Amino acid sequence: MAKKQNFSKAIVVGKALAAAALKRRAEAIEKRQRVLANAKLKIDPTAKRVLAKAPVTHASMGVLIAEGDSWFDYPFHDVLSDLEDSYGFDVESAAHRGDTIEDMAYSDGQLDAFSRRVEKVLRTGVEPRAILLSGGGNDVAGDEFAILLNHAASGIAGLNESILTGVIDQRVREAYATILAAITLICKSYLGHPVPVVIHGYDYPVPDGRGFWGGGLFPGPWLEPGFRRKGYAEMSKRKQICVELIDRFDTMLAGLAGRPPFGHVKFLDLRNTLSTGATYKTWWANELHPTTKGFDAVTKKFVSMI
């Protein structure tokens, strides 16, 4: 009963946050319209000739709007860049590496940025084909990770069930319900109907201590320090725990998709897309992020669902 009540509260919070964002955006839109109405636009004749010769194409597989973390905002190559370059989609993104799902759900600025992307797409005269939402990895990895583990030398070694429940099945789940309710209301306010939403889990990582560009001054590692702190030296045991963690996270997400009021939300299962065997470094650039080859494999699954 408590879980159902919390879920309902998350929906209410999401709708309230969306309503506040829509009110701010309405004021911003009115201001923009006044500026455009009063503007006297002058175009240099030379520029007109250049523009007339420039090739223009509107060919596209559709417009996608994205909100998320580093899987959507990674240097040089990520899911979104691959969707544009390899599959012909146009992507409007409010994603930012390092963001938690709580950042996305409860920050006014995040919802404003998302709404602005929707407005930008609608001004072109088309509707978004889908909304892509990525998040949750930063809520359980990094500085937060060690607290999920009982010490390896204890009689209760492995993931701490009560803390895992609190983080994934309560905190992250409620944040997801909140942001899904918010972006659903925003899209319905602009379009009169919801837009299909794709949420995704992650693949099974290899906690080998590699951070972004080797770590050091750069972000990461995100998993190995927690394992080392709690006495887990064997890679096989570390990998087993990561499998349990990802399975738990994915089960939670899959339980949100397709159920009222989220019938328009689809869950994309990315497990076993990237190898964790002997050649895993060709698939994983570090503990949490795929290589270019890995992102290509992940993006292919996004395309199949879209």
Side-chain angles (χ1 to χ4, degrees), residues 156-234:
I156 52 172
L159 291 166
N160 184 297
E161 176 60 30
S162 61
I163 296 177
L164 195 66
T165 296
V167 172
I168 292 181
D169 297 328
Q170 294 177 13
R171 182 188 301 168
V172 175
R173 180 177 181 270
E174 302 314 306
Y176 254 102
T178 297
I179 190 171
L180 286 172
I183 64 177
T184 297
L185 179 57
I186 288 170
C187 290
K188 288 176 70 175
S189 296
Y190 286 122
L191 294 164
H193 57 81
V195 174
V197 179
V198 177
I199 58 177
H200 72 87
Y202 300 93
D203 207 348
Y204 302 126
V206 180
D208 60 0
R210 291 185 302 147
F212 178 70
W213 280 0
L217 297 176
F218 297 101
W222 303 268
L223 302 172
E224 191 275 339
F227 277 121
R228 179 165 27 90
R229 175 181 168 187
K230 292 301 182 80
Y232 294 91
E234 295 182 9

Side-chain angles (χ1 to χ4, degrees), residues 142 145-146 149-152 158-159 205-209 222-235 237-243 245 287:
F145 180 64
L149 300 170
N150 295 320
H151 200 282
L159 291 166
V206 180
D208 60 0
W222 303 268
L223 302 172
E224 191 275 339
F227 277 121
R228 179 165 27 90
R229 175 181 168 187
K230 292 301 182 80
Y232 294 91
E234 295 182 9
M235 179 59 73
K237 184 60 178 177
R238 292 180 178 183
K239 290 169 69 173
Q240 176 189 334
I241 290 174
C242 286
V243 168
L245 179 62
E287 287 187 326

